[in-house]
Amino acid sequence: MTEPADRGREVTARFAAALAAYLDGLGGPELVAEWTRAATAAGLRPPADAAAGAWISRAELAGYCEAAAALSGDGEIGRRLGEELLRLHTADPMVAAVVTPDGGPGAALTGIVEYLGAVTSGRRWQLAVDAGSAVLEASPLGAAAASRHFCAAIAGYLAALPGAYGSAGRVAHRHCEVSGAPSCRWELRWTQGGGGAAGVVQLGRWVSYFDAMTSAAAVAGSGRAPAALAESLLDTLEQLVPSPILVARVDGPDGAVTAARGVAPAAADDLADDLVAGRCRGGALWVPLGRSGLLGALAPDSPSLPTAGGAVLTAFSRLAGAVTEAAAARRDAELARAETAQLLDFAGRLAGATDLDDVAGIVATTTEKVTGATLALVLAWDAARGLVPLGQPGGEASLGRAPVDPVELPDLLGLADRSTPLRVAATECGPGLGARLSAAGATALVMRALADDGAFEGLLVAAYPGPGDVPDDAERRLDGVADLARVALARARALETARYQATHDALTGLYNRNALGAIVPAGGDLELLYIDIDRLKHVNDELGHAAGDAVLAASAQRISAAAGPDAFVARAGGDEFVVVRTRSRAEAPRHGDLVASAICAALSEPFDLAGRDVYVGASIGIASSPSCGHDLADLVTAADAAMYQSKRSGRGSWRRASGAHTRGGGLEDDLHRALRSGEITVVYQPQVELAGLVTVAVEALVRWDHPRRGLITPAQFLDIAETAGVLAEVDREARRLALAQARLWAASFGGLPVSVNLSTQSLIRPHLVDEFAADLAGAGVDPTAVEVEIVEGILSDKQLIAVVSGLADLGVRVAIDDFGTGASVFARLKRLPVHTLKIDRSLVAGGDADRDAPILAAVVEMGRRLGLEVVAEGVENPAQASRLRRLGATRAQGWLFGQPTTAAEIERLVCSQAANVVTGSRGPAPSPLAPGVGRVL
Ligand code: C2E
Ligand code: CA
Ligand code: CA
């Protein structure tokens, strides 16, 4: 029965390698050479050849041990071998890279027994572990003869194991097959305590995976060209190990072939050598494959692999699991050669599939082939819907797509718990499922849970016309596919979730802004409604953000309902929504107006928040193609502007965009005019000292007071100004206004330092420094009371630094705006003409707490040490302010302390603070929010 090539696949070849290592340690290469001569004289393969393969026979192991015992005069050679094996395992650098310091001998044994099961054949291993002791039992499965050396090696390995945890172990070999007992039994005791050494749990698992891969390489190598195999292994590996560089070296008849991802093909070979030699920088990990092959992962710029430890472990184990299936199949000759190829192919194809349907289809097709079922399917778990039938190649036979109620399955919990296949008749299922199965011509089923560690992907089902059609070993065959199927389904599901999250808004479940471009059909006449919820800020302020969120979620539902089933609804951010419809020829010309008024009406109804009626409302702008432009971006711009106007002219209404709301459509021309006709204005936002919350400076922020469109914010026109090449003029206009104001303030209440923003276009202007000096002189303002805000990036340009230095030489202070967002100039800060760091709003808000908090703390601390003023921007709530104060920030700017407002308001604010100081009033500080709340000027 057994093919010649399979003879001797009884014990992992690592036993031979360990024996060689032991003898080498004992008597050096001469002793090893003598041993080799003795072994070959006894008719055995040279030990080195045997050790280079994957497997040896028990008889070979016994022969090698006899030869070694005779040479060394050591009757306990088996025990030495076991100890040496353990030493090799714990010293293995790739194992050392992943072992973790937990578990103890008891936990480690679990892994080791798993390992024994994978790397020896002919015995069933059973383990019982207690505190400080364990019993291991090996029962013979076939005819493979017992060997006292093998038994001694197991004893040696076990006895040495507790040493890895700093405790001592004793082993008793209670009874042994060699002396006629029906099974072998070892009892291990160890002293408690010690611990803290390498977690040999992982070690055992790893070793078994490595061995599995080694054997798999032999199997796989027989069927496929090495180059193709290397590529397909990389394909799989790439899906599993998110490491920048991956390498696979596969043995071939003409030497090994190396392929890699993340480096040039020509460099692959050297890289593999470097990995083995430990010459690689950064995080590196490799596992051997065949005689000289390997699989490796490398992250040169990181101290460890990106997903060090657990994740890499699992990832590799998954791959190994896949290959193990193939190897096991081949080893046991349970599946024909063609089926082995099928499994390998299965792994390859699964790696390419990304959506759940695809994966289920591949799984089902392979399951049909491997198990001989007439219909195979995946019942994919869906918490909301139950078990959804997927896959189902089965020719005519099919269950349809309607979900299956979990209660219809016989013993679902038992199935999920054991992960062993269950053979049942269709009649044992609930009546609904039973009827569907018999309609599909299936009366006998074998099913298996796709579950692991509490994660449940669903069930894999192979269905047959009658019980007589089910192969005897159907369970084994199903097992062969299941592990890989589970991993692939889990991965597809994770990808689908990620895809969903990337395109959907978590709060409302609507599409998000990013998704808009992708979901709206191209072509056709589009109509876009830009919706802004009125008074949401009020709800947030008065009832808290949870209430605001509830209103937003409910608004999303009302908008969707009012927009109708054919419209796309997205949340554009904050309290803004977008509805896009394709206009049909049949509809009335202004159908969109009806939709808008339906939405306005729906949102003007009260929301019931815990028994309390809350009113919001909506302002809407409508834009349609082609009059407002052709692409989505044009429509958004136009509708947004129209919405804004509708908000200004009283809320709760909608307004159509005219051509003038469109981008480009005139704005640029208008801008040239605006610069001459005094439409450019400036508002001021207070900067406060965090210690006493007193306003100590202001930032001048530009606004465009458009005669028809009203107040336009920088976000809406600065890049138009930039494209039109007039941004420097805008800056200068804003600066002149701000300086004139500073002068007036100086006269009326003693003055207030003023910051102005300088764009790159300003800085590259030939005579900026002279112009600036003239502006200062013209206004009669003390340069030291003026600060210019520039963005971080400028400071990496020598010429621009010179300009900034020129400004600093005038006596003007220099602030770095939006600090923490751009390319960092940390290293050079000390040498640059900088006085202030303005920490960007995003860091202050700390959306990503884990990442942002430490950066924020570091930036504040660094600024302090360099003697710079540190201003935190965008402070919106007291928690942020107090945190900043705790971190040592001295100044802040943001809505909490005041929105950008008019010069007159600033004056009032400063004077009332002064009055408080003068009268020593301990009454409430002037409202941190500037009057005219709710609107950002
Ligand atoms: P910036 O220099 O970072 O100015 C701060 C921006 O954040 C202002 O927006 C301000 O209204 C806003 N802001 C202040 N506190 C808060 C807060 O607590 N929360 C939130 N969410 N935002 C807050 P604004 O006025 O719309 O200005 C936007 C940007 O336009 C400015 O960002 C600046 O880069 C640019 N800008 C403004 N005026 C000028 C100017 O005269 N010249 C140039 N070149 N750029 C300017
Ligand atoms: Ca600024
Ligand atoms: Ca800023």
Side-chain angles (χ1 to χ4, degrees):
M1 275 294 294
T2 328
E3 294 173 52
D6 279 342
R7 191 185 304 135
R9 298 177 80 83
E10 290 176 343
V11 181
T12 174
R14 282 174 179 253
F15 278 80
L19 198 48
Y22 172 70
L23 291 174
D24 188 54
L26 196 65
E30 296 87 61
L31 184 59
V32 176
E34 247 183 278
W35 174 54
T36 304
R37 270 195 299 278
T40 44
L44 299 167
R45 281 189 285 172
D49 287 5
W55 297 89
I56 58 176
S57 68
R58 283 170 184 269
E60 277 176 309
L61 178 61
Y64 293 143
C65 286
E66 294 296 344
L71 280 176
S72 63
D74 184 350
E76 295 249 57
I77 196 76
R79 180 177 280 264
R80 309 276 172 260
L81 163 58
E83 290 162 2
E84 181 70 19
L85 255 180
L86 182 79
R87 204 185 57 72
L88 290 178
H89 285 165
T90 38
D92 194 322
M94 67 209 168
V95 175
V98 293
V99 290
T100 53
D102 60 5
L109 276 167
T110 317
I112 288 173
V113 170
E114 212 174 275
Y115 156 58
L116 276 169
V119 301
T120 63
S121 65
R123 297 290 180 282
R124 190 160 58 103
W125 298 92
Q126 274 171 306
L127 176 76
V129 181
D130 228 334
S133 72
V135 175
L136 177 64
E137 181 119 22
S139 330
L141 286 175
S147 133
R148 72 186 173 91
H149 297 293
F150 181 80
C151 288
I154 299 297
Y157 193 101
L158 292 179
L161 177 67
Y165 293 89
S167 58
R170 255 180 316 111
V171 163
H173 193 16
R174 282 293 172 220
H175 49 81
C176 183
E177 279 184 64
V178 177
S179 38
S183 65
C184 280
R185 184 189 175 101
W186 295 265
E187 286 173 16
L188 171 63
R189 296 186 175 282
W190 63 90
T191 52
Q192 295 286 39
V200 189
V201 189
Q202 275 92 345
L203 177 128
R205 295 225 169 89
W206 269 87
V207 173
S208 69
Y209 296 139
F210 301 160
D211 278 307
M213 282 202 232
T214 315
S215 2
V219 171
S222 63
R224 271 174 120 156
L229 182 63
E231 288 299 332
S232 79
L233 284 172
L234 283 176
D235 282 342
T236 312
L237 202 55
E238 211 161 36
Q239 304 292 324
L240 301 175
V241 184
S243 182
I245 298 176
L246 294 171
V247 50
R249 176 177 278 173
V250 174
D251 299 335
D254 308 314
V257 174
T258 311
R261 298 286 150 83
V263 296
D269 231 316
D270 289 347
L271 177 70
D273 289 341
D274 288 351
L275 259 181
V276 175
R279 284 194 296 263
C280 288
R281 191 162 54 81
L285 189 66
W286 63 277
V287 293
L289 197 65
R291 280 163 185 265
S292 54
L294 61 89
L295 292 176
L298 179 68
D301 298 327
S302 124
S304 59
L305 284 177
T307 46
V312 175
L313 243 167
T314 357
F316 262 116
S317 73
R318 284 173 184 174
L319 175 66
V323 192
T324 314
E325 293 300 339
R330 171 102 173 96
R331 187 164 61 231
D332 303 338
E334 269 177 50
L335 296 175
R337 201 177 288 273
E339 285 169 338
T340 306
Q342 236 163 40
L343 277 182
L344 280 172
D345 178 55
F346 178 45
R349 286 193 301 146
L350 277 182
T354 52
D355 82 28
L356 209 57
D357 277 332
D358 263 13
V359 169
I362 296 171
V363 168
T365 313
T366 306
T367 306
E368 274 187 8
K369 286 189 193 146
V370 171
T371 63
T374 39
L375 171 65
L377 60 134
V378 172
L379 289 173
W381 176 249
D382 180 320
R385 298 197 295 151
L387 291 157
V388 183
L390 298 178
Q392 317 195 49
E396 297 295 286
S398 155
L399 290 193
R401 305 265 309 190
V404 172
D405 189 335
V407 302
E408 294 234 49
L409 282 153
D411 194 22
L412 179 61
L413 291 189
L415 259 176
D417 193 36
R418 285 192 306 272
S419 270
T420 48
L422 182 68
R423 201 184 277 229
V424 294
T427 49
E428 294 172 61
C429 300
L433 178 57
R436 286 162 74 181
L437 283 166
S438 66
T443 73
L445 309 173
V446 183
M447 15 190 209
R448 186 195 192 280
L450 303 173
D452 177 41
D453 252 356
F456 181 66
E457 297 303 326
L459 297 173
L460 181 58
V461 182
Y464 302 84
D469 302 311
V470 186
D472 291 346
D473 59 350
E475 284 84 355
R476 290 297 305 258
R477 298 195 197 182
L478 202 59
D479 271 339
V481 202
D483 192 34
L484 203 50
R486 174 184 60 73
V487 171
L489 286 167
R491 204 191 64 223
R493 215 186 278 266
L495 276 173
E496 288 196 342
T497 311
R499 226 177 268 144
Y500 180 88
Q501 284 169 348
T503 51
H504 286 75
D505 169 49
L507 175 62
T508 60
L510 295 177
Y511 288 109
N512 61 23
R513 193 173 201 132
N514 303 336
L516 212 56
I519 53 161
V520 173
D525 281 347
L526 295 180
E527 191 151 59
L528 185 142
L529 282 68
Y530 206 99
I531 304 159
D532 184 288
I533 310 286
D534 297 329
R535 286 182 292 273
L536 191 77
K537 187 171 169 5
H538 238 74
V539 178
N540 278 331
D541 289 350
E542 303 209 332
L543 302 174
H545 278 89
D549 285 353
V551 169
L552 279 173
S555 301
Q557 281 174 4
R558 292 189 190 178
I559 293 171
S560 300
D566 298 331
F568 294 95
V569 183
R571 179 169 175 211
D575 54 359
E576 296 178 351
F577 295 85
V578 168
V579 173
V580 188
R581 324 182 300 112
T582 305
R583 267 181 302 161
S584 82
R585 266 173 234 284
E587 73 185 32
R590 293 223 147 181
H591 184 75
D593 296 8
L594 297 179
V595 177
S597 69
I599 293 174
C600 280
L603 292 178
S604 66
E605 292 294 318
F607 290 85
D608 177 7
L609 288 190
R612 177 168 170 177
D613 277 351
V614 174
Y615 290 85
V616 288
S619 302
I620 302 179
I622 311 177
S624 23
S625 64
S627 63
C628 294
H630 291 280
D631 62 23
L632 214 56
D634 290 342
L635 295 182
V636 169
T637 311
D640 183 21
M643 178 278 289
Y644 198 62
Q645 269 200 352
S646 116
K647 215 170 185 76
R648 272 165 67 88
S649 61
R651 295 151 178 221
S653 67
W654 49 267
R655 180 182 287 246
R656 244 173 210 285
S658 62
H661 284 129
T662 56
R663 202 172 216 192
L667 254 198
E668 191 180 317
D669 295 344
D670 285 2
L671 192 54
H672 290 286
R673 188 205 60 230
L675 282 163
R676 290 187 302 273
S677 57
E679 289 168 32
I680 298 299
T681 64
V682 164
V683 289
Y684 302 90
Q685 184 173 32
Q687 263 179 30
V688 303
E689 198 74 63
L690 275 169
L693 300 187
V694 179
T695 300
V696 288
V698 291
E699 176 178 8
L701 295 159
V702 72
R703 297 291 182 265
W704 177 5
D705 199 358
H706 193 281
R708 279 185 313 195
R709 293 181 208 175
L711 217 48
I712 304 182
T713 61
Q716 291 167 304
F717 77 89
L718 284 187
D719 42 330
I720 297 176
E722 182 165 30
T723 323
V726 295
L727 185 52
E729 279 175 67
V730 172
D731 281 352
R732 188 164 197 199
E733 187 61 22
R735 175 163 81 240
R736 285 205 185 116
L737 291 166
L739 291 175
Q741 187 59 54
R743 168 79 197 161
L744 290 177
W745 281 334
S748 85
F749 60 84
L752 198 59
V754 176
S755 302
V756 295
N757 290 283
L758 274 186
S759 63
T760 313
Q761 269 190 15
S762 282
L763 288 166
I764 58 177
R765 217 161 144 98
H767 304 295
L768 175 74
V769 177
D770 296 345
E771 253 173 39
F772 210 108
D775 292 342
L776 285 167
V781 171
D782 173 7
T784 59
V786 175
E787 189 163 78
V788 294
E789 298 194 5
I790 57 172
V791 289
E792 227 172 339
I794 283 169
L795 296 175
S796 34
D797 182 310
K798 275 216 180 73
Q799 275 175 327
L800 294 183
I801 294 178
V803 176
V804 175
S805 298
L807 290 171
D809 289 344
L810 295 177
V812 168
R813 294 171 57 88
V814 176
I816 302 188
D817 207 352
D818 305 342
F819 189 79
T821 53
S824 181
V825 291
F826 272 50
R828 279 172 295 135
L829 268 182
K830 206 170 168 53
R831 283 177 282 125
L832 293 168
V834 169
H835 308 88
T836 302
L837 292 184
K838 299 194 72 177
I839 305 178
D840 191 65
R841 183 163 91 223
S842 60
L843 280 183
V844 171
D848 181 355
D850 287 343
R851 196 201 61 203
D852 292 343
I855 298 185
L856 181 63
V859 169
V860 170
E861 172 64 8
M862 181 195 58
R864 225 170 45 88
R865 289 204 193 174
L866 292 175
L868 300 175
E869 189 76 63
V870 176
V871 182
E873 289 192 272
V875 178
E876 296 185 350
N877 66 49
Q880 290 166 348
S882 62
R883 179 167 75 142
L884 285 160
R885 194 154 62 181
R886 210 168 346 100
L887 289 175
T890 45
R891 286 195 184 183
Q893 182 179 342
W895 293 348
L896 176 63
F897 310 111
Q899 307 215 350
T901 184
T902 59
E905 283 299 339
I906 293 285
E907 187 166 344
R908 236 196 314 268
L909 182 69
V910 173
C911 293
S912 74
Q913 283 171 348
N916 274 353
V917 172
V918 170
T919 60
S921 152
R922 296 186 52 95
S927 160
L929 285 178
V933 210
R935 272 291 316 282
V936 186
L937 279 172

